[in-house]
Amino acid sequence: MQVYGVELRSRLFLGTVQYPSPAILARAVENAAAEVVTVSLRRESGAARAGQGFWSIIQGLGVRVLPNTAGCHSVKEAVTTAQMARELFGTPWIKLEVIGDHDTLQPDVFQLVEAARILAADGFQVFPYTTEDLIVAERLLDAGCRVLMPWGAPIGSGRGLANPMALRTLRAHYPDVPMVIDAGIGLPSHATQAMELGFDAVLLNTAVAKAGEPVRMARAFRQAVEAGREGYLAGPMGERDMAAPSTPVLGTAFRA
């Protein structure tokens, strides 16, 4: 998988919040075989001034950091947060979130496109958290994004892929654009479904962090993503409206 010229072996991106302990976080990242983890500048640096200690933990994981603008509700907030994240984490990568609705945490796609345009012009490599809308995708690509991160369902909902038909259409419309399903994944089977649709990777957090056994769940998601990718590459059979016997009946003996 190639994103902004960087080759990644793992197709599972992992969030880093809400884990029971730093040790469990580290073991989850290891068992997920994740090469990219997301970090929220606003959340981590504001929690009991623990941001510096948290950053030390992340550095110890030996993975690539994808800072995000979680909690931002305007272009100005998102751009300022991204600039601070670049200075702190030393990377041009930014997962761009501009939230428009408090209940669903759906992105405000109008402000998202504007923020993406500003950040791309400033040298950022933008990973926009967006909807499955084709026109929004086109505007984001025109703004300078080279990766798209459409949501599966509302953040933290665990509902899986709420609109698989629209996601399938989006994937087919932009076959050469790296796409990561972001948000709403709750079960390993949801991740497999996303990969079977041809998406390049899955990003999740709550499904692992809040599991009864986060480390085991991280391992399950790694296996699910790998299985989904292999299934997609294998060329799955098409769906049928009617039954079709798997054993041929022509030329076989039968009793009258």
Side-chain angles (χ1 to χ4, degrees):
M1 178 182 178
Q2 291 270 350
V3 286
Y4 289 111
V6 174
E7 185 173 321
L8 300 173
R9 294 183 301 275
S10 173
R11 294 175 181 271
L12 178 58
F13 296 13
L14 207 59
T16 55
V17 298
Q18 303 182 30
Y19 286 84
S21 71
I24 291 178
L25 165 61
R27 290 180 59 206
V29 171
E30 179 183 359
N31 277 265
E35 293 179 276
V36 177
V37 299
T38 60
V39 176
S40 170
L41 175 68
R42 292 165 67 95
R43 287 176 183 154
E44 301 307 335
S45 62
R49 299 185 177 180
Q52 196 61 42
F54 179 82
W55 176 222
S56 297
I57 294 168
I58 296 300
Q59 286 178 306
L61 297 176
V63 294
R64 182 175 290 271
V65 173
L66 176 59
N68 67 38
T69 62
C72 293
H73 293 265
S74 70
V75 172
K76 182 177 181 180
E77 269 189 302
V79 169
T80 300
T81 301
Q83 291 168 340
M84 293 171 62
R86 179 170 60 181
E87 182 176 346
L88 177 61
F89 297 114
T91 176
W93 281 17
I94 191 71
K95 180 192 168 189
L96 181 60
E97 298 182 28
V98 186
I99 301 301
D101 182 78
H102 291 279
D103 293 326
T104 64
L105 300 181
Q106 180 170 329
D108 181 331
V109 296
F110 302 100
Q111 296 199 79
L112 178 69
V113 171
E114 177 61 16
R117 184 189 62 78
I118 293 171
L119 291 173
D122 192 27
F124 282 89
Q125 296 173 341
V126 182
F127 294 68
Y129 164 61
T130 183
T131 65
E132 63 278 90
D133 187 276
L134 284 175
I135 306 306
V136 174
E138 183 176 349
R139 297 293 183 268
L140 288 168
L141 295 173
D142 289 344
C145 298
R146 296 295 173 261
V147 178
L148 296 174
M149 303 185 79
W151 67 344
I155 294 172
S157 67
R159 297 179 63 87
L161 305 186
N163 195 345
M165 181 177 294
L167 289 170
R168 184 182 289 110
T169 301
L170 178 65
R171 175 71 284 179
H173 202 75
Y174 297 104
D176 299 323
V177 176
M179 292 190 193
V180 182
I181 292 293
D182 178 18
I185 299 296
L187 296 171
S189 57
H190 297 158
T192 299
Q193 182 186 12
M195 299 303 293
E196 288 173 342
L197 288 176
F199 286 89
D200 297 282
V202 170
L203 191 160
L204 54 93
N205 187 120
T206 309
V208 169
K210 289 298 187 179
E213 296 185 45
V215 176
R216 175 174 286 185
M217 186 62 80
R219 187 164 58 249
F221 269 106
R222 181 195 74 207
Q223 295 165 345
V225 166
E226 291 172 353
R229 180 65 180 175
E230 284 297 301
Y232 170 73
L233 293 177
M237 65 173 285
E239 295 181 355
R240 299 188 178 110
D241 293 329
M242 301 292 290
S246 57
T247 302
V249 296
L250 291 176
T252 60
F254 67 94
R255 295 179 64 180

